[in-house]
Amino acid sequence: MSQKNGNPPTHRLYIVKGEGENARWLEAGAAWANRDSQGFTIAIDVLPLNGRLVMRKAETKSNGGQS
């Protein structure tokens, strides 16, 4: 999910399983900051049955993405 109403998301959602170097990050959706800066609109493609849901600031394509 890359865009909502033509605007790129400000944040990405990931399901994270495991800890530290053994953690696996799976993309789960995206989020857009609301115009009033008081919250987010969130679009979730999948939900974790186990693991945790993490929201991170979206990386621009020029700096390589999620590490």
Side-chain angles (χ1 to χ4, degrees), residues 9-67:
T10 58
H11 292 73
R12 295 282 183 188
L13 299 171
Y14 298 92
I15 296 170
V16 182
K17 292 184 177 185
E19 298 291 332
E21 300 218 1
N22 294 323
R24 291 186 310 150
W25 291 66
L26 307 167
E27 192 166 337
W32 293 260
N34 292 336
R35 288 183 186 173
D36 65 3
S37 299
Q38 298 299 308
F40 293 90
T41 298
I42 299 172
I44 300 174
D45 297 322
V46 296
L47 287 173
L49 295 176
N50 55 28
R52 59 194 183 276
L53 191 61
V54 175
M55 184 168 63
R56 304 275 301 177
K57 188 170 185 175
E59 299 281 340
T60 60
K61 289 184 180 184
S62 63
N63 66 10
Q66 178 65 35
S67 55

